[in-house]
Amino acid sequence: MSAKSAGTPKGAVPPKPSATPKTIGSLPPDLIVRLISFLPVPDLPKVACLSRRFKILAYNEDLYEPKLKSLGVVGMGRGADEGRGGTGAAGTAGADTTENTQLVTRLRQLPGGHMLSGSIKYIGTGSLWGSLEEDSKSGTAGSPEQPAAERLNEAGSPDAPTPDSVGSPSSAQPQISAAITAPKKSTITIGAGGVHGAAKSQNAANIGGGAKSGGGGAGRQSRPARELFRQVYTELLPYFLDFKKRQKDSKVFKDFKDLVEVGTILRRLRLFSQAKFIPDAEDIDFSLETTIEWFESMVLGQFERAYDTNNIKEMQRNALAAYQLNGGAACAQLFISKNPIFFDETFNPSLVASKLPSAGGPAVGYSLADDFAKFSDYMLNNCRKQAEIIAQVFPPEMDVMTLFVNKVFEDSVAEYLTAVLVAAKSRENLGIYLHTLATGVHCCTQFVDFIANNEAKVFVQVDQIKANIATLFKPYTETYIRQEMEHTRKKFDAELDKWNNRKGERGVRKATAPYLADQEKAQAHKRLVMSAVKAVVFAPMALTKTLGITGNNRVKPHRQSLLGDAEPVVTPMEPERVDAVTYHLDDDSLNSLISLELCLNLMHTNKEALGRTLVITSATDRPKLRPNVEKVFCALLTSIGERHIKPAFDKAIDRLSKSQVVDSTGDKSVSMDSLQFFEMVHIADLIQQMVDVYFNEDVRSWVDETDFLSDIVVDKKAFEHLLDDCVAHGMDKAIQVLINQVDYILLTELSPTDYNPSDKAMVLDVKPTKACEKAIECLNSHTKLLSGATEKHTMEVFLGEVGVRLFNVIIKSIKRQQISQAGAMQLICDFNRYYQWAQAQRVSSIAKLFQVLKELGNLYLADGGEELKKLVHDQSRYQGALRIEEIYELLQSRTDYKKIQKYVESKECIIQ
């Protein structure tokens, strides 16, 4: 045990060796560069003289790039140098990357290197870190700790670190020595490309060594930030210091005679002053700012005089000088404030009310919209003329046209729009205001689109102007959708009340056979109605497609259908023509409960509201476009479904419940209540097709059908379910009425001698009875109406139910008759006719059921005995449609039942 360890008390912690005092040199390189950046520029040479290491850090590119940016110089320095790193000899790029990776590893072993996120950032300084690269290339080092220190001392580095300072990462906190050794001829040249240049050079000892070396040449071509800053600094410093003694007679005005050059140098001097490169320069700053203000006022005065004399060249020269000085904002404002467009009295907002027609009425809304469209035309033509002047006078970077158009909207358009909308709102009709508002939004939107494509090719920031338009209309659009829905519902209420009143005035008329009973007429009627619907749906949507504001080709707003209750502009149609059109949509012979014409008018009103919504919302508040469109369309579904179709079907179902059979005195025995219900199904199908066409053409593109929780998807499905429920609820009543009518026909038309002829020797005419034919005709007259009006599945369900009930009615009718063996042939003939009808319906369940009916005819032809007994007890023949008890009841209708009863009702012992 040594003496030192012997003197230490047992269990005591040995004292830590005294730490080397920390200095600024022990800080990480990036932190030192950050500290140096706050020093004034004249102090940087002093920092560089402190030591070799501080000289390297004072020459670092990171120190000068922010200074260049403060002077408005960007895109130079190391970024450009690194971008040209591949301009050296072929094949050096890969080697450069490998060498830099090795140097990064070595660099992080230096003091503070572990704190650098990207140490390769300091490799290109061309000094201390370049020597590390020489070590990695030479391969003469004996150990990783010693070579850097020894070779830096041999190369004459003024701040050569000791071996302890360049040790491994596990060594105690090393420090870079500040001792200055005797200067020697260094093989490292500062600031000439560093290791990036050395990687491209054949001689590692001439890293950045001058113009003859490849690395040095590449370094000068890249214009490092330090050299570029030195050039700018030495160029501006004399002019800046000259303002300490002079102002208007400064050296700037002696060396530069052109206004544009003077404006440019003054702008650069202002940036130089704001960067605070020179300490205690407040007096110079004040003198410089005073000179700049004087120069700007002189330029503005010359520009104003040139504007008054319409001297384009002089205006252009002064505008460019102002732009180089400070961006030229004052010059642009001067041009805008003196423009005659803001003093034009052609369209005076205070005279808007006096321009309205003396006659009142909704047509006033069209005149207000026309007046604003003319005003927009006038302002657009003036702005086009000003665009030609702006293109000649101002640089494109000033974006004067955007400022000018914004000023036009803020002052002239806003004032005139307010006057027009106030005049429109003063009218009692809300539709006038909504129409004028939509026209105003559309005119302003088109104004921007046209001025953006001006002939002078002047750039205009369309998005910025449209944002200002949205702000301009915001006070009016905040309550727009509420007002639109209020107006639309009032129009719907008026249409519904008009229909109800007209329906009440008709009274109850004598029912006649509707022409929809003819299938060809029914299809022709459908085609006619759908063509009328498409004529409305496919028409250009109001304001969105046809309204323009340029030239004489503009479509007048009153030619649009935005205002549904406006006075007609064209000559009204003759009464005969109106009646003809009405007949095709709503004829008394069709139905008096549901109206195609009403639904078409409601769709027309909704289309007008949708047009206004698209125009106003898309231009002022586009995020609300989808919910607003949904609100407008859902209002239509509610009015057509809940307020028109459902009450009509409820009344029709009530009529069916009270319906009576029709006396079969004519050729056709048709229940009008049942028939009209089937016609209502046709009309409801037409209405649904109308709504679908309107939705697909005008609404679908503005909503998201995949959002199953959206209002429009929910309401549209509810509308379809409403129609299905109305049809389903009335279908049972309609079927029962139809079957009652068939039962009545069989009861009244079927003679007792049809199946039991009195003269057994007469020759039978093998054809169906008159009652059978009438029953089939009644069935066909009703079922044909549903063809094409409902889905295939619904039609099959309907026909299946009709078949089952008809089968029961026929069985009931047979039980009332007395059937002889001679009349059995007539019965079988009727059964075959019913079976043919069942097959014609193309429903398998009906065909199977009436096949059983055909088998029943054999019961009335068979004689007594085992043959009849087998027919009675062969249940597979009747497919479970008839129970054995029902067959016994049917056999009781035979005239010879007493004779065959013993065969039919004989009991046998059956062991089960």
Side-chain angles (χ1 to χ4, degrees):
M1 181 180 295
S2 62
K4 181 177 180 180
S5 59
T8 304
K10 185 176 181 181
V13 178
K16 295 182 179 180
S18 58
T20 308
K22 293 185 177 181
T23 63
I24 191 173
S26 63
L27 296 176
D30 53 346
L31 185 56
I32 297 176
V33 171
R34 178 66 175 167
L35 294 174
I36 296 175
S37 65
F38 292 100
L39 295 175
V41 174
D43 293 340
L44 292 181
K46 301 177 183 178
V47 174
C49 293
L50 291 177
S51 67
R52 178 73 171 176
R53 183 168 186 261
F54 276 99
K55 180 178 181 180
I56 295 170
L57 298 177
Y59 283 5
N60 190 275
E61 297 292 298
D62 287 345
L63 185 61
Y64 297 97
E65 287 177 358
K67 299 182 185 300
L68 285 175
K69 290 181 181 179
S70 65
L71 293 175
V73 181
V74 294
M76 300 298 291
R78 184 189 309 138
D81 178 35
E82 293 177 354
R84 288 186 292 268
T87 58
T92 59
D96 188 28
T97 304
T98 304
E99 292 161 358
N100 290 343
T101 305
Q102 297 175 356
L103 292 177
V104 168
T105 304
R106 298 292 303 277
L107 181 58
R108 287 179 177 172
Q109 298 176 1
L110 295 179
H114 63 284
M115 302 178 65
L116 300 177
S117 57
S119 303
I120 194 172
K121 177 179 179 182
Y122 290 94
I123 294 178
T125 54
S127 54
L128 175 63
W129 320 122
S131 66
L132 295 178
E133 184 194 23
E134 286 186 307
D135 295 344
S136 64
K137 286 184 178 182
S138 61
T140 58
S143 66
E145 298 181 0
Q146 198 162 356
E150 292 179 353
R151 278 192 296 278
L152 283 174
N153 288 329
E154 293 173 358
S157 175
D159 53 348
T162 61
D164 294 336
S165 66
V166 198
S168 62
S170 60
S171 59
Q173 303 236 344
Q175 298 199 359
I176 299 178
S177 173
I180 301 178
T181 59
K184 297 181 180 180
K185 185 177 181 180
S186 175
T187 59
I188 302 175
T189 303
I190 304 299
V195 295
H196 292 293
K200 304 181 182 72
S201 176
Q202 297 294 330
N203 188 1
N206 293 326
I207 301 179
K212 294 182 180 181
S213 64
R220 281 191 299 273
Q221 289 177 5
S222 65
R223 298 286 293 171
R226 183 179 63 83
E227 294 184 8
L228 186 58
F229 175 75
R230 180 177 60 184
Q231 176 185 345
V232 176
Y233 181 81
T234 54
E235 177 186 358
L236 296 179
L237 183 61
Y239 295 110
F240 181 75
L241 296 177
D242 188 61
F243 277 98
K244 193 172 185 179
K245 301 178 181 178
R246 303 179 182 85
Q247 292 184 9
K248 298 180 181 179
D249 57 345
S250 173
K251 187 178 179 181
V252 171
F253 301 101
K254 296 178 181 179
D255 293 350
F256 303 96
K257 301 299 182 182
D258 186 70
L259 288 179
V260 177
E261 295 179 353
V262 174
T264 303
I265 194 67
L266 288 178
R267 175 180 57 82
R268 295 177 66 191
L269 289 173
R270 171 180 279 175
L271 294 175
F272 188 91
S273 175
Q274 293 173 352
K276 305 298 182 182
F277 293 146
I278 304 299
D280 302 330
E282 288 79 5
D283 295 339
I284 303 179
D285 293 345
F286 177 78
S287 178
L288 177 62
E289 289 298 329
T290 303
T291 304
I292 291 176
E293 292 177 3
W294 168 81
F295 179 77
E296 183 180 18
S297 61
M298 179 194 69
V299 169
L300 293 178
Q302 293 182 7
F303 180 86
E304 185 175 7
R305 288 190 293 272
Y307 182 86
D308 294 336
T309 58
N310 198 23
N311 189 342
I312 299 297
K313 290 186 177 180
E314 187 65 19
M315 290 170 61
Q316 181 184 20
R317 189 170 71 92
N318 286 276
L320 185 57
Y323 169 70
Q324 292 294 339
L325 179 65
N326 55 13
C331 188
Q333 292 299 327
L334 177 62
F335 173 83
I336 294 174
S337 62
K338 290 183 67 66
N339 201 284
I341 195 174
F342 301 104
F343 307 100
D344 197 338
E345 296 294 334
T346 305
F347 286 86
N348 193 340
S350 60
L351 302 178
V352 170
S354 62
K355 295 181 182 180
L356 296 178
S358 57
V364 175
Y366 293 132
S367 62
L368 288 170
D370 273 342
D371 187 55
F372 187 81
K374 293 176 182 177
F375 167 76
S376 300
D377 268 334
Y378 183 78
M379 298 301 292
L380 177 62
N381 292 331
N382 285 339
C383 286
R384 283 172 170 167
K385 295 177 182 178
Q386 297 302 319
E388 296 177 358
I389 299 176
I390 291 174
Q392 300 178 51
V393 173
F394 296 98
E397 295 80 7
M398 292 182 65
D399 198 14
V400 177
M401 193 62 197
T402 302
L403 300 175
F404 180 78
V405 175
N406 280 333
K407 187 67 174 178
V408 168
F409 275 101
E410 291 173 2
D411 291 358
S412 301
V413 176
E415 184 179 6
Y416 201 80
L417 177 68
T418 302
V420 170
L421 292 179
V422 168
K425 209 167 187 178
S426 63
R427 304 290 166 174
E428 295 180 358
N429 193 342
L430 182 60
I432 295 177
Y433 169 75
L434 295 175
H435 172 76
T436 308
L437 178 61
T439 305
V441 173
H442 182 74
C443 289
C444 291
T445 305
Q446 292 297 306
F447 183 102
V448 177
D449 293 338
F450 285 132
I451 201 63
N453 300 316
N454 56 82
E455 296 179 357
K457 306 298 181 183
V458 180
F459 174 75
V460 179
Q461 296 186 29
V462 176
D463 294 339
Q464 180 182 344
I465 299 177
K466 288 185 176 181
N468 291 338
I469 292 177
T471 304
L472 173 65
F473 282 95
K474 187 175 181 180
Y476 309 103
T477 56
E478 285 180 340
T479 59
Y480 160 70
I481 194 62
R482 178 182 58 80
Q483 295 171 328
E484 183 65 68
M485 296 307 300
E486 177 185 351
H487 173 67
T488 302
R489 291 191 181 100
K490 286 183 179 179
K491 293 289 295 293
F492 287 166
D493 293 342
E495 291 289 345
L496 290 168
D497 293 341
K498 188 187 301 182
W499 158 254
N500 293 329
N501 294 335
R502 187 173 61 180
K503 183 176 63 174
E505 292 172 358
R506 288 179 186 170
V508 180
R509 300 184 180 181
K510 184 177 180 180
T512 58
Y515 67 82
L516 276 189
D518 189 337
Q519 190 67 17
E520 294 182 0
K521 290 184 178 181
Q523 296 301 325
H525 176 76
K526 272 196 172 186
R527 290 192 295 268
L528 182 64
V529 172
M530 291 309 299
S531 64
V533 172
K534 292 178 180 179
V536 174
V537 174
F538 293 143
M541 187 170 291
L543 283 181
T544 58
K545 296 181 180 178
T546 61
L547 181 59
I549 59 173
T550 57
N552 297 325
N553 295 326
R554 178 175 57 84
V555 179
K556 298 296 184 183
H558 64 250
R559 301 294 181 187
Q560 304 300 314
S561 56
L562 283 178
L563 202 59
D565 54 354
E567 295 178 357
V569 180
V570 298
T571 305
M573 300 173 63
E574 295 80 2
E576 294 80 9
R577 180 61 179 164
V578 175
D579 292 341
V581 174
T582 305
Y583 170 80
H584 289 301
L585 294 181
D586 280 335
D587 191 85
D588 290 338
S589 63
L590 275 178
N591 204 280
S592 60
L593 299 177
I594 193 168
S595 171
L596 287 173
E597 181 186 6
L598 172 63
C599 293
L600 189 61
N601 290 338
L602 294 178
M603 288 175 55
H604 186 66
T605 301
N606 191 263
K607 185 178 176 68
E608 296 171 1
L610 179 63
R612 290 190 292 263
T613 301
L614 292 177
V615 169
I616 295 175
T617 311
S618 61
T620 58
D621 195 1
R622 195 168 185 85
K624 293 184 179 179
L625 181 60
R626 173 184 163 188
N628 288 354
V629 170
E630 291 181 353
K631 289 180 182 178
V632 173
F633 185 74
C634 291
L636 173 68
L637 297 179
T638 302
S639 297
I640 294 179
E642 295 288 343
R643 302 187 58 190
H644 182 57
I645 293 180
K646 190 175 186 300
F649 270 91
D650 290 342
K651 188 171 292 186
I653 293 172
D654 184 62
R655 284 186 184 180
L656 287 173
S657 301
K658 302 175 182 178
S659 178
Q660 302 295 328
V661 294
V662 179
D663 187 13
S664 58
T665 56
D667 294 334
K668 294 183 178 180
S669 299
V670 180
S671 172
M672 293 306 301
D673 291 331
S674 179
L675 198 56
Q676 284 187 347
F677 174 79
F678 293 138
E679 290 170 355
M680 285 184 64
V681 175
H682 259 287
I683 298 173
D685 178 62
L686 274 174
I687 293 174
Q688 185 172 2
Q689 291 183 37
M690 291 161 56
V691 173
D692 287 340
V693 170
Y694 173 49
F695 175 80
N696 292 332
E697 293 299 325
D698 289 334
V699 182
R700 182 191 294 272
S701 57
W702 306 104
V703 298
D704 183 11
E705 290 186 281
T706 60
D707 184 6
F708 61 91
L709 294 179
S710 63
D711 293 340
I712 195 167
V713 174
V714 173
D715 287 3
K716 193 169 183 295
K717 289 183 178 179
F719 175 75
E720 295 171 354
H721 292 162
L722 174 67
L723 293 181
D724 294 340
D725 292 342
C726 290
V727 173
H729 291 165
M731 197 69 75
D732 179 69
K733 299 291 184 182
I735 292 174
Q736 190 59 46
V737 170
L738 172 61
I739 296 303
N740 290 341
Q741 185 66 31
V742 172
D743 190 19
Y744 179 78
I745 292 173
L746 295 177
L747 180 63
T748 58
E749 295 293 334
L750 197 60
S751 172
T753 60
D754 287 340
Y755 300 143
N756 185 19
S758 58
D759 188 1
K760 298 182 179 180
M762 75 174 191
V763 179
L764 295 176
D765 187 8
V766 185
K767 64 179 183 179
T769 60
K770 184 179 179 181
C772 177
E773 292 291 353
K774 275 195 172 184
I776 296 298
E777 185 180 0
C778 180
L779 290 169
N780 289 335
S781 63
H782 287 75
T783 56
K784 283 183 179 180
L785 281 176
L786 285 181
S787 178
T790 58
E791 297 179 355
K792 181 179 178 181
H793 175 71
T794 305
M795 192 67 183
E796 290 179 356
V797 173
F798 167 76
L799 292 175
E801 185 64 23
V802 170
V804 171
R805 297 190 188 187
L806 178 62
F807 179 84
N808 294 329
V809 166
I810 295 173
I811 296 297
K812 178 182 176 182
S813 175
I814 293 174
K815 291 179 181 179
R816 291 195 299 258
Q817 301 296 323
Q818 286 295 312
I819 305 170
S820 64
Q821 281 186 312
M825 293 300 297
Q826 186 65 57
L827 178 64
I828 292 175
C829 187
D830 284 355
F831 283 170
N832 289 336
R833 181 69 183 91
Y834 289 130
Y835 180 72
Q836 291 176 3
W837 174 86
Q839 280 189 320
Q841 307 310 311
R842 297 181 180 179
V843 178
S844 60
S845 60
I846 301 178
K848 291 180 180 180
L849 188 62
F850 279 80
Q851 179 67 35
V852 175
L853 195 65
K854 286 180 63 177
E855 296 293 339
L856 285 177
N858 297 325
L859 292 175
Y860 297 96
L861 278 178
D863 296 328
E866 291 298 326
E867 181 183 0
L868 180 60
K869 190 175 181 180
K870 289 181 181 180
L871 288 175
V872 171
H873 293 280
D874 187 5
Q875 290 296 314
S876 61
R877 191 180 284 269
Y878 310 111
Q879 303 178 21
L882 292 173
R883 294 178 291 109
I884 188 67
E885 292 81 2
E886 292 177 327
I887 296 176
Y888 288 158
E889 292 178 5
L890 289 172
L891 285 175
Q892 292 176 7
S893 299
R894 290 184 57 155
T895 55
D896 58 346
Y897 180 71
K898 295 295 184 180
K899 190 182 298 184
I900 65 171
Q901 184 177 7
K902 59 181 179 179
Y903 301 107
V904 174
E905 297 181 356
S906 63
K907 298 181 179 179
E908 297 180 355
C909 181
I910 301 175
I911 300 176
Q912 298 182 350

